[in-house]
Amino acid sequence: MPSRRLPWTLQRRLVLTVVGLLALVSITIGIVSVVILRASLVDRLDLQLASAADRSRTALGDGIGDNDGDSLGDLPGNPHFGTPTADSILSGPAQPPGLLALVYDGTSITTGYTDDASGEIESLTSEQVQLLADHVNQSTPVTVHLGGELGEYRVQAETSRTGTLYLVGLPLSGVAATAAQLALIVGLVSLVGLVIVAIIAAWVVRLALRPLQRVTATAIRVAQLPLDRGEVSLDDRVPSGDTDPRTEVGRVGAALNRMLDHVDLALEARQASERKVRQFVADASHELRTPLASIRGYSELTRRSGQELPPDAMHALGRIESESVRMTGLVEDLLLLARLDEGRELDLQPVDLTMLLVDAVSDAHAAGPDHVWNLELPEEPIEATGDEPRLRQVIANLLANARVHTDAGTTVLVALAGHDERAVITVTDDGQGIPEELTATLFERFARGDSSRFRAANTTGAPRSTGSTGLGLAIVAAVIAAHHGEVTVDSRPGRTTFRVALPLA
């Protein structure tokens, strides 16, 4: 595919616009100046050509008369002038250099031109004579291109009083050279001017856009803040000097500041609400731990007292005990999330992930013997920097998630590897997969893949296997985020993989 052209910045557009307009004006002025100069030089050359034609008439014996007004040239056999030829014109007095002449006396044609370098009179070729003959009837100066070394000539045809046709011409090479020199001077001056203007324009535009750059820098700093979570102090504002409503940039800066004020108020309200919720959850969780422990203890004590109780009473005690265990786990999870939300520091130490996975898979095998548990470990132990109890809870939650949400006989593979300065733990199962609509909210709190609160229960009065509370994967995401790691999931029917990446020790 062809590469897309990168968009131009505002500074580049402004500078190129100024330089382009100046270049257009310079080209127009240069063309007009050259055209006017050339027309002026051609007019001056036409005046010289008219003077040369007048002198040529004298050289041909026309215009010199006696007292009766008769021309000496009209007298047959005039010994002074003889037969009119082109040489008579070219060798006449005060003729300009480079003069070209053609004379037709009715019977023969003579031609010639004066060479500028040597001053000698040279003859014209038959083709050049034919070109001049085509213009011999012209009464006004015209331009004829003779080709070769002669180039363009300005020629004018006249008829003497004796009936002799003659044509004189002057070269346009001087006019062309002067016009070309002017064009070169204008081009060089314009080029130097464009370079100077481009440098000045770039400096002026950069100076003019500095307020906009400061506004942009403020917006970039705000955009980099984690506004979606945690305590955020939104103190960045556009400087007061860049909020003048009389300027375009000032209006943008003022509007951005007003928007930031509204966002800051919204963040403060959200943070206050979150603080109240976290405090309530923490207080409630802490207060619920004691009564739940009492309920569990008394139910277990009664069930183990050895007294003969009816079956329905034993079943009720088993249910009370199992529900107290479940509620205790839920309270502990809520308390942990509240502490993580408060940003409490973790006890970061080097953790041997190899032994941690060995223990976790062993526990998972004991809890779910109807699943197939496999473990792949590298040859060398891998250590990560983390809080070991919290990391154990992460792995336990992932394995419990694979056990609870897959059918019996499902194979679960736990693997450990080092990659790009990170320890990577993957938990893969070949179960039915996660519905696509649940993937986006999988790590949110109280997100569950099953609709029931409880899964299958036994009939022995033992604690039931309860359904998901929706906090296991939320705890995984919160703990890994506190370790500056990342957790992702990739699922399709027949294969689901959770990937956890942690910084190496």
PDB file of all heavy atoms in Angstrom, residues 12-35:
ATOM      1  N   ARG A  12       4.035  24.944   9.652  1.00  0.00           N
ATOM      2  CA  ARG A  12       4.527  24.720   8.296  1.00  0.00           C
ATOM      3  C   ARG A  12       3.564  25.302   7.269  1.00  0.00           C
ATOM      4  O   ARG A  12       3.984  25.900   6.280  1.00  0.00           O
ATOM      5  CB  ARG A  12       4.715  23.226   8.068  1.00  0.00           C
ATOM      6  CG  ARG A  12       5.212  22.884   6.670  1.00  0.00           C
ATOM      7  CD  ARG A  12       5.362  21.398   6.472  1.00  0.00           C
ATOM      8  NE  ARG A  12       6.374  20.846   7.364  1.00  0.00           N
ATOM      9  CZ  ARG A  12       6.711  19.557   7.381  1.00  0.00           C
ATOM     10  NH1 ARG A  12       6.099  18.703   6.581  1.00  0.00           N
ATOM     11  NH2 ARG A  12       7.647  19.134   8.191  1.00  0.00           N
ATOM     12  N   ARG A  13       2.273  25.145   7.503  1.00  0.00           N
ATOM     13  CA  ARG A  13       1.295  25.687   6.551  1.00  0.00           C
ATOM     14  C   ARG A  13       1.392  27.205   6.458  1.00  0.00           C
ATOM     15  O   ARG A  13       1.354  27.763   5.356  1.00  0.00           O
ATOM     16  CB  ARG A  13      -0.114  25.269   6.973  1.00  0.00           C
ATOM     17  CG  ARG A  13      -0.412  23.778   6.788  1.00  0.00           C
ATOM     18  CD  ARG A  13      -1.838  23.476   7.195  1.00  0.00           C
ATOM     19  NE  ARG A  13      -2.154  22.061   7.034  1.00  0.00           N
ATOM     20  CZ  ARG A  13      -3.332  21.521   7.309  1.00  0.00           C
ATOM     21  NH1 ARG A  13      -4.305  22.304   7.764  1.00  0.00           N
ATOM     22  NH2 ARG A  13      -3.534  20.233   7.136  1.00  0.00           N
ATOM     23  N   LEU A  14       1.496  27.868   7.612  1.00  0.00           N
ATOM     24  CA  LEU A  14       1.572  29.327   7.592  1.00  0.00           C
ATOM     25  C   LEU A  14       2.841  29.805   6.892  1.00  0.00           C
ATOM     26  O   LEU A  14       2.799  30.728   6.070  1.00  0.00           O
ATOM     27  CB  LEU A  14       1.519  29.859   9.025  1.00  0.00           C
ATOM     28  CG  LEU A  14       0.177  29.675   9.758  1.00  0.00           C
ATOM     29  CD1 LEU A  14       0.294  30.145  11.203  1.00  0.00           C
ATOM     30  CD2 LEU A  14      -0.922  30.441   9.036  1.00  0.00           C
ATOM     31  N   VAL A  15       3.975  29.171   7.218  1.00  0.00           N
ATOM     32  CA  VAL A  15       5.235  29.588   6.601  1.00  0.00           C
ATOM     33  C   VAL A  15       5.199  29.344   5.094  1.00  0.00           C
ATOM     34  O   VAL A  15       5.569  30.226   4.300  1.00  0.00           O
ATOM     35  CB  VAL A  15       6.420  28.844   7.256  1.00  0.00           C
ATOM     36  CG1 VAL A  15       7.710  29.128   6.494  1.00  0.00           C
ATOM     37  CG2 VAL A  15       6.579  29.268   8.709  1.00  0.00           C
ATOM     38  N   LEU A  16       4.734  28.182   4.684  1.00  0.00           N
ATOM     39  CA  LEU A  16       4.679  27.879   3.255  1.00  0.00           C
ATOM     40  C   LEU A  16       3.680  28.773   2.535  1.00  0.00           C
ATOM     41  O   LEU A  16       3.891  29.135   1.369  1.00  0.00           O
ATOM     42  CB  LEU A  16       4.325  26.406   3.052  1.00  0.00           C
ATOM     43  CG  LEU A  16       5.406  25.402   3.458  1.00  0.00           C
ATOM     44  CD1 LEU A  16       4.945  23.981   3.192  1.00  0.00           C
ATOM     45  CD2 LEU A  16       6.710  25.667   2.697  1.00  0.00           C
ATOM     46  N   THR A  17       2.593  29.146   3.204  1.00  0.00           N
ATOM     47  CA  THR A  17       1.628  30.061   2.577  1.00  0.00           C
ATOM     48  C   THR A  17       2.255  31.429   2.340  1.00  0.00           C
ATOM     49  O   THR A  17       2.124  32.007   1.255  1.00  0.00           O
ATOM     50  CB  THR A  17       0.391  30.188   3.471  1.00  0.00           C
ATOM     51  OG1 THR A  17      -0.223  28.900   3.617  1.00  0.00           O
ATOM     52  CG2 THR A  17      -0.615  31.137   2.845  1.00  0.00           C
ATOM     53  N   VAL A  18       2.944  31.947   3.363  1.00  0.00           N
ATOM     54  CA  VAL A  18       3.598  33.252   3.207  1.00  0.00           C
ATOM     55  C   VAL A  18       4.659  33.203   2.111  1.00  0.00           C
ATOM     56  O   VAL A  18       4.713  34.073   1.232  1.00  0.00           O
ATOM     57  CB  VAL A  18       4.216  33.687   4.550  1.00  0.00           C
ATOM     58  CG1 VAL A  18       5.062  34.949   4.356  1.00  0.00           C
ATOM     59  CG2 VAL A  18       3.128  33.938   5.577  1.00  0.00           C
ATOM     60  N   VAL A  19       5.497  32.163   2.146  1.00  0.00           N
ATOM     61  CA  VAL A  19       6.555  32.047   1.136  1.00  0.00           C
ATOM     62  C   VAL A  19       5.956  31.840  -0.250  1.00  0.00           C
ATOM     63  O   VAL A  19       6.425  32.404  -1.238  1.00  0.00           O
ATOM     64  CB  VAL A  19       7.503  30.885   1.505  1.00  0.00           C
ATOM     65  CG1 VAL A  19       8.514  30.646   0.394  1.00  0.00           C
ATOM     66  CG2 VAL A  19       8.240  31.199   2.799  1.00  0.00           C
ATOM     67  N   GLY A  20       4.898  31.039  -0.349  1.00  0.00           N
ATOM     68  CA  GLY A  20       4.267  30.803  -1.643  1.00  0.00           C
ATOM     69  C   GLY A  20       3.674  32.070  -2.227  1.00  0.00           C
ATOM     70  O   GLY A  20       3.820  32.345  -3.434  1.00  0.00           O
ATOM     71  N   LEU A  21       2.970  32.860  -1.375  1.00  0.00           N
ATOM     72  CA  LEU A  21       2.398  34.114  -1.874  1.00  0.00           C
ATOM     73  C   LEU A  21       3.497  35.086  -2.308  1.00  0.00           C
ATOM     74  O   LEU A  21       3.373  35.745  -3.356  1.00  0.00           O
ATOM     75  CB  LEU A  21       1.536  34.746  -0.779  1.00  0.00           C
ATOM     76  CG  LEU A  21       0.220  34.014  -0.454  1.00  0.00           C
ATOM     77  CD1 LEU A  21      -0.477  34.689   0.714  1.00  0.00           C
ATOM     78  CD2 LEU A  21      -0.689  33.987  -1.678  1.00  0.00           C
ATOM     79  N   LEU A  22       4.568  35.150  -1.514  1.00  0.00           N
ATOM     80  CA  LEU A  22       5.666  36.036  -1.887  1.00  0.00           C
ATOM     81  C   LEU A  22       6.330  35.557  -3.182  1.00  0.00           C
ATOM     82  O   LEU A  22       6.706  36.376  -4.036  1.00  0.00           O
ATOM     83  CB  LEU A  22       6.690  36.107  -0.754  1.00  0.00           C
ATOM     84  CG  LEU A  22       7.893  37.033  -1.000  1.00  0.00           C
ATOM     85  CD1 LEU A  22       7.422  38.461  -1.215  1.00  0.00           C
ATOM     86  CD2 LEU A  22       8.861  36.975   0.172  1.00  0.00           C
ATOM     87  N   ALA A  23       6.473  34.250  -3.337  1.00  0.00           N
ATOM     88  CA  ALA A  23       7.044  33.723  -4.574  1.00  0.00           C
ATOM     89  C   ALA A  23       6.164  34.050  -5.772  1.00  0.00           C
ATOM     90  O   ALA A  23       6.659  34.431  -6.841  1.00  0.00           O
ATOM     91  CB  ALA A  23       7.236  32.206  -4.456  1.00  0.00           C
ATOM     92  N   LEU A  24       4.843  33.930  -5.586  1.00  0.00           N
ATOM     93  CA  LEU A  24       3.924  34.257  -6.680  1.00  0.00           C
ATOM     94  C   LEU A  24       4.018  35.733  -7.049  1.00  0.00           C
ATOM     95  O   LEU A  24       4.060  36.088  -8.243  1.00  0.00           O
ATOM     96  CB  LEU A  24       2.494  33.898  -6.264  1.00  0.00           C
ATOM     97  CG  LEU A  24       1.399  34.146  -7.299  1.00  0.00           C
ATOM     98  CD1 LEU A  24       1.648  33.319  -8.550  1.00  0.00           C
ATOM     99  CD2 LEU A  24       0.031  33.831  -6.716  1.00  0.00           C
ATOM    100  N   VAL A  25       4.073  36.597  -6.031  1.00  0.00           N
ATOM    101  CA  VAL A  25       4.207  38.032  -6.298  1.00  0.00           C
ATOM    102  C   VAL A  25       5.541  38.333  -6.979  1.00  0.00           C
ATOM    103  O   VAL A  25       5.617  39.121  -7.934  1.00  0.00           O
ATOM    104  CB  VAL A  25       4.060  38.824  -4.986  1.00  0.00           C
ATOM    105  CG1 VAL A  25       4.398  40.300  -5.209  1.00  0.00           C
ATOM    106  CG2 VAL A  25       2.645  38.689  -4.441  1.00  0.00           C
ATOM    107  N   SER A  26       6.615  37.686  -6.504  1.00  0.00           N
ATOM    108  CA  SER A  26       7.939  37.921  -7.095  1.00  0.00           C
ATOM    109  C   SER A  26       7.982  37.465  -8.543  1.00  0.00           C
ATOM    110  O   SER A  26       8.536  38.161  -9.411  1.00  0.00           O
ATOM    111  CB  SER A  26       9.008  37.185  -6.277  1.00  0.00           C
ATOM    112  OG  SER A  26       9.027  37.636  -4.944  1.00  0.00           O
ATOM    113  N   ILE A  27       7.400  36.305  -8.838  1.00  0.00           N
ATOM    114  CA  ILE A  27       7.379  35.822 -10.218  1.00  0.00           C
ATOM    115  C   ILE A  27       6.580  36.761 -11.109  1.00  0.00           C
ATOM    116  O   ILE A  27       6.993  37.089 -12.229  1.00  0.00           O
ATOM    117  CB  ILE A  27       6.799  34.396 -10.252  1.00  0.00           C
ATOM    118  CG1 ILE A  27       7.764  33.421  -9.566  1.00  0.00           C
ATOM    119  CG2 ILE A  27       6.534  33.947 -11.690  1.00  0.00           C
ATOM    120  CD1 ILE A  27       7.212  32.023  -9.412  1.00  0.00           C
ATOM    121  N   THR A  28       5.432  37.218 -10.599  1.00  0.00           N
ATOM    122  CA  THR A  28       4.607  38.148 -11.398  1.00  0.00           C
ATOM    123  C   THR A  28       5.350  39.448 -11.665  1.00  0.00           C
ATOM    124  O   THR A  28       5.372  39.954 -12.797  1.00  0.00           O
ATOM    125  CB  THR A  28       3.294  38.423 -10.645  1.00  0.00           C
ATOM    126  OG1 THR A  28       2.613  37.181 -10.393  1.00  0.00           O
ATOM    127  CG2 THR A  28       2.393  39.328 -11.472  1.00  0.00           C
ATOM    128  N   ILE A  29       5.974  39.993 -10.606  1.00  0.00           N
ATOM    129  CA  ILE A  29       6.729  41.245 -10.786  1.00  0.00           C
ATOM    130  C   ILE A  29       7.886  41.033 -11.752  1.00  0.00           C
ATOM    131  O   ILE A  29       8.167  41.873 -12.628  1.00  0.00           O
ATOM    132  CB  ILE A  29       7.235  41.754  -9.429  1.00  0.00           C
ATOM    133  CG1 ILE A  29       6.058  42.193  -8.566  1.00  0.00           C
ATOM    134  CG2 ILE A  29       8.220  42.899  -9.607  1.00  0.00           C
ATOM    135  CD1 ILE A  29       6.444  42.607  -7.160  1.00  0.00           C
ATOM    136  N   GLY A  30       8.590  39.899 -11.636  1.00  0.00           N
ATOM    137  CA  GLY A  30       9.706  39.628 -12.530  1.00  0.00           C
ATOM    138  C   GLY A  30       9.268  39.511 -13.977  1.00  0.00           C
ATOM    139  O   GLY A  30       9.890  40.086 -14.885  1.00  0.00           O
ATOM    140  N   ILE A  31       8.180  38.777 -14.230  1.00  0.00           N
ATOM    141  CA  ILE A  31       7.697  38.619 -15.617  1.00  0.00           C
ATOM    142  C   ILE A  31       7.262  39.952 -16.187  1.00  0.00           C
ATOM    143  O   ILE A  31       7.611  40.311 -17.331  1.00  0.00           O
ATOM    144  CB  ILE A  31       6.544  37.597 -15.646  1.00  0.00           C
ATOM    145  CG1 ILE A  31       7.066  36.199 -15.290  1.00  0.00           C
ATOM    146  CG2 ILE A  31       5.878  37.582 -17.013  1.00  0.00           C
ATOM    147  CD1 ILE A  31       5.990  35.161 -15.187  1.00  0.00           C
ATOM    148  N   VAL A  32       6.485  40.709 -15.390  1.00  0.00           N
ATOM    149  CA  VAL A  32       6.024  42.020 -15.884  1.00  0.00           C
ATOM    150  C   VAL A  32       7.208  42.936 -16.141  1.00  0.00           C
ATOM    151  O   VAL A  32       7.253  43.663 -17.169  1.00  0.00           O
ATOM    152  CB  VAL A  32       5.045  42.641 -14.863  1.00  0.00           C
ATOM    153  CG1 VAL A  32       4.720  44.081 -15.254  1.00  0.00           C
ATOM    154  CG2 VAL A  32       3.771  41.814 -14.786  1.00  0.00           C
ATOM    155  N   SER A  33       8.194  42.920 -15.239  1.00  0.00           N
ATOM    156  CA  SER A  33       9.363  43.794 -15.428  1.00  0.00           C
ATOM    157  C   SER A  33      10.140  43.416 -16.682  1.00  0.00           C
ATOM    158  O   SER A  33      10.545  44.296 -17.464  1.00  0.00           O
ATOM    159  CB  SER A  33      10.282  43.702 -14.203  1.00  0.00           C
ATOM    160  OG  SER A  33       9.599  44.095 -13.028  1.00  0.00           O
ATOM    161  N   VAL A  34      10.355  42.130 -16.902  1.00  0.00           N
ATOM    162  CA  VAL A  34      11.089  41.694 -18.089  1.00  0.00           C
ATOM    163  C   VAL A  34      10.322  42.042 -19.365  1.00  0.00           C
ATOM    164  O   VAL A  34      10.903  42.513 -20.355  1.00  0.00           O
ATOM    165  CB  VAL A  34      11.370  40.177 -18.002  1.00  0.00           C
ATOM    166  CG1 VAL A  34      11.941  39.671 -19.324  1.00  0.00           C
ATOM    167  CG2 VAL A  34      12.346  39.888 -16.873  1.00  0.00           C
ATOM    168  N   VAL A  35       9.001  41.833 -19.335  1.00  0.00           N
ATOM    169  CA  VAL A  35       8.193  42.148 -20.530  1.00  0.00           C
ATOM    170  C   VAL A  35       8.232  43.641 -20.833  1.00  0.00           C
ATOM    171  O   VAL A  35       8.405  44.061 -21.995  1.00  0.00           O
ATOM    172  CB  VAL A  35       6.740  41.658 -20.322  1.00  0.00           C
ATOM    173  CG1 VAL A  35       5.834  42.198 -21.432  1.00  0.00           C
ATOM    174  CG2 VAL A  35       6.693  40.143 -20.302  1.00  0.00           C
TER     175      VAL A  35
END
